[in-house]
Amino acid sequence: MEFIISIDRTDDRPLQLQLYEIIRQMILSGKLRAGERLPSSRGVAEQLGIARITVTLAYERLLSEGYVASKPKAGTFVNERLPDASVLVRNAHSETISPGARIRLGKIPSFAGRSPELWKDRSQRPKYDFFVGRPNPRSFPTQFWQRSIARHLAYARGAMTEYGDPRGLHALREAIADHLRATRGIDATPDQIVITAGIQGALNLLARVFLTGTQQSTVAVENPSYQGAAFLFSSYGARIHPIQVDENGLDVAQLENFVGNLIYVTPSHQFPTGYTLSLDRRLRLLDWAYRTGSYIIEDDYDSDFRYDGPPLIALAGLDRKDQVIYLGTFSKSIGAGIRIGYLVVPHHLVEQARIVKALLDNCAPWLEQAVIADFIKEGAFLRHLRRIRRSYMSARDALIEEINEHFPGSTLSGVECGMHMMWKIPDSLPTPEELQRRALTCGVGLYPLFSAAAFEYGHASRFRDRSIILGYAALSEDEIREAIRRVSDEFKTRQTSRPDPSPLRKTRRVEAPTKSKTSESRSNPRSTR
């Protein structure tokens, strides 16, 4: 074997340092693969026309840092496992990735950013709170949790005192793989799954993998988008490239002008609009990724709750070239307090993901993982989903009915699935911020985009100026009806004292599906105009 390399004799750096850095970079980029034999020091010296001791010094430094290993009478070989602190770019498909797209581990850039608006002190919450992303606390499977915890603690022993696989408990990864295959059409192995601290933990891991430290990266996001993703990418120094969404989801045509290698999407229930990415656009998005060598981060945060129409195959289930990285979470289906989510990475990124996870927090808590693995494998998780799906659908129907009755002229989107909908408020109401303030005086929490963990880029707003995000899963039907009536009464009182002269628009109401209707007859409950 010969190196196709050259030494710059005009460089002020010593020749052995140049040679060391060249070989190290070849190892990190995958040009020299694990287990591959390096040329002899004599052969490299003759090829480059340098002293053999120069090559020996470079090899000895690589050996001391763990990049290569020496085998007596056999030679010097690339180490099977490189140092965890090193920057790995071992990607079998690296030739398809756009130039400048490099994988970075370990080095965190200077922090500059904002945090998503997710947490609020309970004492400051209004009585009727429509904040997004919260399961109903009455739905938590307390009895199963108590039994499973007691059972595992009885036999825990070393499991509670030893470090585990950074990717997570194998039993849980195996259970998730089976669940995704049956419900989302994703054919993944347990080795491809990494357990994280929710979606945010998965996004942090991917930011560490994809966003470089020496050159500013660009990440495409939906517009409007989830604060937790957009703000995170910005905090790593990435430039954000917003792509508009409409009733069919992400406008894929706008990606033709995007120069980057990463896009973040929520195709099943776009956050915050609730729109679903159409099949045609899903296929076009995949085609774009294949042509450009880009990766798609699919955040499937609340796809467990679909009320109208057949279940959707995930974007990752349609992917045939390992360009989609799938993110899932139990925060919406069980509870955010358990802090367990996961990501499914292509085979060629498994090792990078494992190393980054080890650098971030090594592994998720064992006990919670073991309980969730039981929850899935024993069939209790599917029974739990069916039960709370019925409850959430009833809450959704009540909210649609109350909005129609008390606020004619409204437009609702995202009602087919998920745990929230977007309410485009009628012209008879004030700005979303004023509506939020007035609702709070009567004990109701309503949230404009920014207060609901969403962010819209640009000065010209399609959604920000007239939209409220309504998270309904944590409220009962009675609570929802009372809350909307309170807000309605608040504005009726105001309108009585100062009538609004502007006429209401003529619109077609969203009707809540009745239990006697078929899924076909209620397949489009969000159309209101």
Side-chain angles (χ1 to χ4, degrees), residues 343-397:
L343 71 161
V344 182
V345 298
H347 289 284
H348 56 273
L349 293 179
V350 166
E351 183 63 6
Q352 284 116 308
R354 185 198 68 80
I355 292 175
V356 174
K357 186 62 170 62
L359 293 173
L360 286 171
D361 56 20
N362 196 55
C363 58
W366 169 79
L367 186 58
E368 286 77 5
Q369 293 185 79
V371 173
I372 297 176
D374 286 351
F375 199 45
I376 299 173
K377 286 188 173 183
E378 295 178 18
F381 183 51
L382 286 179
R383 293 192 296 271
H384 170 77
L385 288 178
R386 285 194 294 267
R387 177 170 55 84
I388 62 176
R389 192 181 292 127
R390 290 192 297 268
S391 172
Y392 293 174
M393 185 167 68
S394 296
R396 176 205 68 165
D397 293 350

Side-chain angles (χ1 to χ4, degrees), residues 443-456:
V444 179
L446 298 179
Y447 300 91
L449 261 66
F450 191 83
S451 300
F455 189 80
E456 185 174 19

Side-chain angles (χ1 to χ4, degrees), residues 473-493:
L475 299 172
S476 68
E477 290 183 60
D478 291 341
E479 290 171 330
I480 288 172
R481 295 186 191 281
E482 175 63 22
I484 299 302
R485 287 168 186 166
R486 286 190 179 201
V487 176
S488 176
D489 290 344
E490 169 71 18
F491 283 92
K492 283 179 181 177
T493 302

